[in-house]
Amino acid sequence: MSMPAAVSRVEAVNMHVSRLETPIGPMLAATTDQGLCLLEFVDETRGDARLEQMRAALGAVVVPGKSPIAETLARELAAYFAGRGRSFSIPLHLCGTDFQTQVWQGLQAIPYGQTRSYREQAVAIGRPRAVRAVAQANRANRIAIVIPCHRVIGADGHLVGYSAGLWRKQRLLELEQGRPFG
């Protein structure tokens, strides 16, 4: 007589979801025990869809309310928007391909107040021929501001490609150039 196979039980990932107010619009933050996995402007048309994509990718259970990571994020975002914070200390829970993760880590290496073109970003991560793929990975970034895709501009210096609106990208770059919100 054979013994029944052991049943493996995988614990569901809790994903805490909260809303954070900023001077350029409310944001939706999602965190797991591992870190911040989503930070999107609420009025962005992809916000709800990206939250659902993240929930599905993680097999997560949505838990309303701020986690300790989201509370730290709220303080750090307030300092950022006041012109006092230049970096973020919160852990990140990146959900993407190896290439996307490489691009997102490269975005975090762009110094506060500086910009790069997509080509410069591709060169910086050692993938000079992957300019279009870098642009696509930037577009797939689910963690606005903390992973500063707003610091990437067109080769001609013009603002391009910010899903939360070019006006927000412009305002974030102005903030980082020393023009804080009044």
Side-chain angles (χ1 to χ4, degrees):
M1 181 165 147
S2 65
M3 298 292 289
V7 175
S8 173
R9 228 175 105 159
V10 177
E11 297 266 338
V13 172
N14 285 332
M15 186 170 70
H16 294 270
V17 177
S18 59
R19 185 178 167 118
L20 304 172
E21 297 300 327
T22 78
I24 57 175
M27 299 187 84
L28 187 67
T31 63
T32 66
D33 288 342
Q34 190 175 334
L36 178 68
C37 59
L38 179 78
L39 183 63
E40 297 269 343
F41 285 96
V42 173
D43 62 0
E44 182 182 334
T45 57
R46 296 185 310 175
D48 289 340
R50 282 194 164 180
L51 177 61
E52 178 51 29
Q53 288 170 352
M54 184 60 61
R55 188 209 60 73
L58 296 174
V61 174
V62 173
V63 179
K66 283 186 183 172
S67 68
I69 293 170
E71 289 174 3
T72 300
L73 172 65
R75 287 190 300 275
E76 291 181 354
L77 276 174
Y80 172 84
F81 281 110
R84 295 186 316 270
R86 293 180 171 231
S87 62
F88 296 88
S89 68
I90 55 170
L92 302 179
H93 186 163
L94 300 178
C95 296
T97 66
D98 289 343
F99 179 77
Q100 287 172 328
T101 300
Q102 180 185 23
V103 169
W104 299 335
Q105 289 169 340
L107 285 168
Q108 293 174 79
I110 302 173
Y112 179 93
Q114 295 183 23
T115 58
R116 284 195 184 140
S117 70
Y118 290 105
R119 178 167 307 288
E120 290 168 329
Q121 186 187 5
V123 168
I125 65 166
R127 306 288 291 269
R129 293 186 175 170
V131 176
R132 286 187 181 164
V134 163
Q136 289 288 46
N138 281 7
R139 194 170 295 117
N141 175 28
R142 294 176 185 95
I143 304 176
I145 301 172
V146 177
I147 298 180
C149 58
H150 63 275
R151 295 180 188 153
V152 180
I153 59 174
D156 62 1
H158 285 91
L159 299 185
V160 293
Y162 196 62
S163 63
L166 289 181
W167 72 271
R168 281 193 175 108
K169 183 173 192 162
Q170 177 68 44
R171 196 59 193 101
L172 292 170
L173 293 173
E174 288 171 355
L175 170 69
E176 293 184 8
Q177 295 295 318
R179 291 176 277 192
F181 292 92

